[in-house]
Amino acid sequence: MSSEPAIPLDLCLDGPLWQFAGSFWTRPIAREAALALQDEGWSVTDILCGLWLALRNRKFPGFVSGPVVTWRHQVTEALRQVRKAIAKGNPATEQARGYVAQSELEAERVELALAYRALDSGTTAVTGLNERSTRILALENLQAAAPEKAMDNETRLLLNSLIEELQVFAEGDNPP
């Protein structure tokens, strides 16, 4: 028996986490690092949640709510598989691939909105942080978001790239 994802009727799709994700995603290094981690089994939503929470001096609990996981497995990942099954660059399928990619993005938007709703009140604030400890919190949050596997050197480099990009982003060098 498959359960349908529980999506609240009043879900805000344009909240602070989505705004952060949209701005941070425009940074090529951040995008490439997150996608490389996704290829290794990471959730980009969890990565973005961990980074966003670090900017707010909050700990990522290392898990997301049931509705997020259900939506991710039943909708976001299913659309991603369909998109990847459609070859890039084939004029006969280009439009179909584009529609699926747009649907995948909208599914990710719902996933982030669900995550925001769950994380908004369910995270622990960390006080007395400075720039160095914010970097440490970001690393801890990313480690909490990690799938069940050992960290290798490539993963550490990708995490460091994300944290460096987050630091530059936080200093105000972020595109509109």
Side-chain angles (χ1 to χ4, degrees):
M1 179 175 117
S2 174
S3 65
E4 291 182 21
I7 307 301
L9 295 175
D10 65 343
L11 188 66
C12 175
L13 297 177
D14 199 31
L17 179 54
W18 174 254
Q19 293 297 317
F20 162 75
S23 293
F24 193 65
W25 201 253
T26 64
R27 307 183 72 79
I29 292 171
R31 184 176 55 250
E32 291 167 17
L35 290 174
L37 289 168
Q38 182 181 62
D39 289 343
E40 297 298 318
W42 290 61
S43 161
V44 170
T45 295
D46 290 352
I47 291 168
L48 292 170
C49 287
L51 294 172
W52 177 75
L53 287 168
L55 286 178
R56 279 143 190 79
N57 300 332
R58 297 183 117 20
K59 285 188 168 251
F60 181 61
F63 60 88
V64 290
S65 69
V68 175
V69 172
T70 300
W71 181 265
R72 177 182 300 155
H73 292 310
Q74 291 183 0
V75 181
T76 308
E77 289 175 354
L79 287 166
R80 184 171 301 121
Q81 288 175 354
V82 171
R83 178 184 50 80
K84 287 181 174 184
I86 302 171
K88 269 187 183 177
N90 182 338
T93 60
E94 184 101 10
Q95 189 172 19
R97 190 174 200 283
Y99 287 144
V100 173
Q102 185 61 40
S103 295
E104 181 185 358
L105 178 63
E106 289 302 317
E108 289 166 341
R109 187 176 191 169
V110 171
E111 189 175 324
L112 282 166
L114 289 168
Y116 173 74
R117 184 174 268 222
L119 293 172
D120 187 37
S121 61
T123 56
T124 305
V126 179
T127 58
L129 292 180
N130 58 33
E131 182 180 303
R132 180 166 162 37
S133 54
T134 300
R135 286 179 60 90
I136 292 169
L137 179 58
L139 179 60
E140 289 173 356
N141 283 355
L142 289 171
Q143 289 172 332
E148 297 289 325
K149 69 179 216 171
M151 295 269 187
D152 58 19
N153 286 338
E154 178 65 24
T155 301
R156 284 185 180 85
L157 290 172
L158 292 168
L159 296 182
N160 285 334
S161 293
L162 284 168
I163 292 167
E164 288 171 18
E165 285 297 302
L166 184 69
Q167 187 172 14
V168 173
F169 179 89
E171 292 169 356
D173 182 24
N174 48 19

